Amino acid sequence: MKHRVFWLMVAATGLAAGVRWVGLLHLPPQAWQDELWFALRAREILEMGAFPLFYKTFWGGVNPLMVWLTAGAEGLGFRTLPVASRWVSTTLGILSVPLAYACWREIEHAVKPIAWNGAPTLAAFVLATLFFTVTLSRIGTEPALALAASLFCLWQQRRAARRNSLFGFLVAGAGAGLAQYISPHARFIPIAMALWGLQDVWPLRHWRRWLGQYLLLFIAFLLAFAPLLLFFIQQPEWFWGRARAVTTGAQAGFLSFFLENARAVALGFSFLGDANARDNLAFRPVLDPLQSLGFYLGIGSAVFSLRRSAAARYVLSWLAVMLVPVLITDNAPSFSRMMLAAPPVALLIVWGWYVLWHKLSGIIKGQWLKTAAGAWVVASLFWNGVDYFVRYASQPQLPQVFTTQAVALARELAQRATQESVFVEYITEAPDEVYAFDFLLPDTRVERFDLRQCLPLVDFSAQRTTYVVQTDRDQETIPDLRRQYPNARVTVFNGEPEALYKELTLVEIPPNTAMPLPPFQAQAQFAPGLRLLGYEQSSLAAKPGESVFFTFYWKAEADLAVDATAFLHVGEKQVLQRDGQPCQNIYPTSRWRAGEVVPDRFALTIAPGTPPGLYPLVIGWYSGNQRLTLTAAEQPLPDNRAIIGALTLQAP
């Protein structure tokens, strides 16, 4: 018998692995911005070696454990995968099946309800394919992690109580404390444990027997939770931050809000489910019709046997506590906030099926009943599989709710950058608005900086040149590019509803497109391939204290491999000078590609006491302590400098 149960549990766990791992990189599509956020923070841990205790975000903050585990997944070989957190959530979702079985077995040891034999094993198969647990496990966020943690803690608590094991109570308490590092979901784990503990000490005359064990559990909980708890005590706004963000309705009027949510949750089990197409096949209820029948029969049987059955009390209190998050938050029935209720729901489904079995066993002959029951269970499992892999997968809005646009664009840009110049804007005052770019574009040849501060151009480039401008924050760059290149192809991408950016604009400059000539023509060329096309000069004359604004247009005749600094001397003997890398060091010459033209904009202020006169403008380059060789110029100087114009300095 034990061997058969073991192999059945192996099969249930294998089934859970199959429905969670098959096609994981493609379904759901990559990648929801929360998954990208976890991947970015995990990469920071690997690069910096620091494990933050809490992340302060504009949506109320994030507890760190999911990030820590995602860093582990990236360290094991998934570092370039934007959905590395999915391996964490699916693995924990799979482990939830044997953990749930262990937890149910401990309840079975308490007091058996009607003909319990085999119920935990069958419930494991139900949980393995329960639609909303599969859906949420395959999204790389915290609910599946919180589910596994809750099962581990409750299992250890019941096991410790049955065996009177101090070590078991210690493990259960430490597990509950560590679970607080997951998310606000986990705050309900100690509440469920407390209710189960009350059943151990009831009637109260038994409290002395359990005082030491539960005191040890509580101390272990506090010690594990202590670092994060101390942070919350010092900054209490972050303890409530995320909860406050999702309870706006409750804050307006709790009783009416709670009653409406209770109605929505009740309907959500069998009639009208979560409308969010990311977390659910839109509006699909939690249960299929076969599961619904079992669930309501199980609820009825458990309520009927509540007074005489400890198992009924454990299961119903478990269900009640884990439904509280969805009852007090916005957008009920939000399935992601019902995740921790999945194990008691699965057990009640099977409980109800057993009730039905016993009712029918006196009417239908044994073999026929077994065949019908087997077909019933298989049909339910198959129903849930089809709903996910066929119906959910074919939802037309799925790419949009998973914010896939930026991921697809980032991958396309990275591919283009292997052959051509690609410039993607990075807004300095809003650095974290396009997570896909932040994760996928580093270590590629895509150039990212604020195009308002540095806008490289092109002149007769042999390849197409691509720009991506964040036009919801930058209204300057697109008009500038249109003015320079009237034949440019412009494509606008509007951000999905949950994307942080509002609009991205793709500008493509065809190959061999000429750049308009600057107003002042000048010729000077330096090895290994820097050529001056011309320049702009705001004034031909200036007085001390005034500034003259220059823009020099430097073209890369070849891909450059040297970081060089440009200089401008006023007068051959350097009455005034300015040294600096073009674009304020944003885009060093070692990254320039053939055909690119980089404007070097700066202001030169005339120092007081500068002698008046007509002075030549002298330019050049140096790298380290050595000037770059001047290879061609209209007015060369013997020291690798070139005269390209003049400036009149007037008396004050």
Side-chain angles (χ1 to χ4, degrees):
M1 180 66 179
K2 289 184 178 180
H3 289 294
R4 186 175 70 176
V5 170
F6 171 79
W7 287 112
L8 284 172
M9 282 309 305
V10 169
T13 306
L15 178 62
V19 297
R20 284 162 178 79
W21 278 343
V22 169
L24 182 62
L25 298 184
H26 308 289
L27 180 65
Q30 297 184 27
W32 186 30
Q33 62 182 13
D34 284 24
E35 296 174 312
L36 287 160
W37 186 90
F38 283 119
L40 282 166
R41 303 293 83 80
R43 179 181 287 176
E44 290 172 358
I45 287 177
L46 295 178
E47 291 175 350
M48 301 172 63
F51 287 78
L53 193 61
F54 188 82
Y55 290 92
K56 298 178 181 180
T57 67
F58 68 86
W59 61 85
V62 178
N63 294 16
L65 189 55
M66 188 67 181
V67 179
W68 297 350
L69 294 176
T70 303
E74 290 186 4
L76 290 173
F78 300 108
R79 190 164 185 171
T80 61
L81 190 64
V83 291
S85 60
R86 288 186 187 176
W87 294 108
V88 176
S89 61
T90 52
T91 300
L92 271 296
I94 294 163
L95 291 176
S96 294
V97 172
L99 284 171
Y101 172 80
C103 197
W104 295 328
R105 284 283 293 165
E106 291 301 329
I107 295 176
E108 182 181 32
H109 283 301
V111 176
K112 293 184 181 181
I114 57 160
W116 186 279
N117 289 337
T121 307
L122 181 55
F125 280 91
V126 173
L127 183 63
T129 59
L130 194 60
F131 181 82
F132 81 108
T133 65
V134 173
T135 305
L136 292 166
S137 294
R138 290 174 67 102
I139 302 172
T141 51
E142 304 104 317
L145 178 55
L147 173 62
S150 69
L151 289 166
F152 175 81
C153 294
L154 291 169
W155 165 46
Q156 286 298 307
Q157 180 188 1
R158 286 289 348 122
R159 188 168 181 267
R162 179 172 61 85
R163 296 186 173 188
N164 197 22
S165 167
L166 292 179
F167 179 74
F169 280 103
L170 183 68
V171 171
L178 291 174
Q180 304 312 303
Y181 294 79
I182 299 172
S183 71
H185 295 82
R187 295 175 189 173
F188 294 88
I189 296 173
I191 299 174
M193 295 173 70
L195 286 179
W196 281 21
L198 284 175
Q199 295 182 61
D200 289 332
V201 303
W202 189 264
L204 291 179
R205 64 177 178 271
H206 296 155
W207 70 271
R208 293 180 185 275
R209 174 189 171 192
W210 295 103
L211 178 62
Q213 289 92 324
Y214 277 100
L215 184 60
L216 181 63
L217 185 153
F218 183 65
I219 292 172
F221 168 78
L222 285 180
L223 288 175
F225 185 27
L228 185 58
L229 179 61
L230 181 60
F231 169 81
F232 285 142
I233 291 172
Q234 294 171 338
Q235 302 184 53
E237 68 275 13
W238 291 109
F239 179 81
W240 301 107
R242 200 165 172 188
R244 189 178 292 114
V246 297
T247 56
T248 55
Q251 295 167 40
F254 181 77
L255 182 59
S256 59
F257 177 81
F258 180 85
L259 292 175
E260 175 57 29
N261 273 9
R263 183 192 69 83
V265 171
L267 291 174
F269 276 104
S270 300
F271 300 100
L272 192 64
D274 193 344
N276 187 337
R278 182 184 62 248
D279 296 344
N280 188 31
L281 171 59
F283 298 107
R284 182 200 191 272
V286 172
L287 309 174
D288 65 48
L290 303 179
Q291 293 170 340
S292 294
L293 178 59
F295 178 68
Y296 295 120
L297 288 173
I299 286 278
S301 178
V303 171
F304 181 76
S305 56
L306 192 61
R307 292 188 62 184
R308 65 179 184 273
S309 171
R313 293 192 293 273
Y314 285 131
V315 175
L316 291 178
S317 62
W318 188 4
L319 176 66
V321 170
M322 297 314 183
L323 286 178
V324 171
V326 72
L327 290 170
I328 62 174
T329 55
D330 303 329
N331 303 316
S334 172
F335 285 179
S336 64
R337 296 173 194 146
M338 296 175 65
M339 187 72 156
L340 273 64
V345 167
L347 190 58
L348 286 167
I349 289 169
V350 173
W351 192 332
W353 286 352
Y354 270 55
V355 170
L356 186 62
W357 168 277
H358 282 275
K359 294 295 182 183
L360 295 176
S361 60
I363 303 173
I364 304 175
K365 292 183 179 180
Q367 188 58 45
W368 285 102
L369 184 58
K370 290 180 181 179
T371 302
W376 181 290
V377 173
V378 170
S380 179
L381 300 181
F382 181 76
W383 193 321
N384 282 265
V386 169
D387 273 356
Y388 184 80
F389 288 101
V390 179
R391 297 181 63 207
Y392 174 84
S394 61
Q395 291 183 107
Q397 66 270 46
L398 207 58
Q400 184 181 62
V401 297
F402 273 92
T403 58
T404 61
Q405 177 178 264
V407 173
L409 182 57
R411 286 178 168 148
E412 169 66 18
L413 295 171
Q415 180 61 35
R416 289 189 185 193
T418 61
Q419 302 293 329
E420 64 189 58
S421 296
V422 177
F423 302 99
V424 175
E425 186 155 41
Y426 180 88
I427 299 294
T428 52
E429 66 267 25
D432 294 326
E433 288 200 340
V434 192
Y435 294 149
F437 291 175
D438 296 338
F439 186 82
L440 292 169
L441 296 184
D443 301 322
T444 71
R445 294 207 64 182
V446 173
E447 298 294 345
R448 290 195 72 198
F449 41 77
D450 196 328
L451 297 178
R452 297 169 301 179
Q453 300 176 20
C454 178
L455 180 59
L457 304 172
V458 288
D459 183 57
F460 289 106
S461 173
Q463 307 294 332
R464 174 184 56 188
T465 302
T466 300
Y467 302 84
V468 176
V469 182
Q470 198 167 329
T471 38
D472 57 328
R473 292 188 176 272
D474 174 4
Q475 287 81 45
E476 305 168 15
T477 300
I478 294 299
D480 197 357
L481 288 172
R482 287 183 182 274
R483 185 170 54 253
Q484 299 279 0
Y485 307 106
N487 65 334
R489 179 185 176 188
V490 178
T491 306
V492 176
F493 295 92
N494 293 312
E496 300 101 334
E498 291 199 29
L500 298 182
Y501 65 90
K502 301 302 180 186
E503 184 179 273
L504 299 174
T505 301
L506 178 75
V507 180
E508 298 168 287
I509 312 299
N512 300 313
T513 299
M515 186 193 84
L517 293 175
F520 292 92
Q521 304 299 303
Q523 293 294 324
Q525 190 159 343
F526 297 83
L530 285 163
R531 180 161 70 92
L532 180 68
L533 295 183
Y535 64 98
E536 297 174 2
Q537 183 175 340
S538 64
S539 175
L540 298 178
K543 298 177 181 179
E546 295 180 343
S547 295
V548 181
F549 296 90
F550 291 94
T551 302
F552 288 89
Y553 292 90
W554 292 101
K555 180 177 180 179
E557 298 287 359
D559 291 358
L560 302 178
V562 60
D563 280 329
T565 300
F567 62 79
L568 169 66
H569 295 162
V570 178
E572 292 186 40
K573 296 184 178 180
Q574 305 176 33
V575 174
L576 297 169
Q577 76 176 70
R578 180 267 182 184
D579 294 40
Q581 291 190 355
C583 279
Q584 298 83 45
N585 301 333
I586 292 173
Y587 189 33
T589 56
S590 59
R591 287 156 42 191
W592 295 9
R593 291 189 178 191
E596 293 179 4
V597 178
V598 179
D600 184 16
R601 295 185 174 90
F602 59 90
L604 184 69
T605 301
I606 311 305
T610 304
L614 179 64
Y615 292 92
L617 298 176
V618 183
I619 60 168
W621 287 84
Y622 62 86
S623 178
N625 296 321
Q626 186 172 359
R627 286 182 181 171
L628 301 189
T629 302
L630 177 67
T631 58
E634 294 176 350
Q635 299 182 63
L637 295 175
D639 54 0
N640 289 317
R641 296 187 299 164
I643 298 173
I644 51 96
L647 175 64
T648 299
L649 299 184
Q650 300 172 337

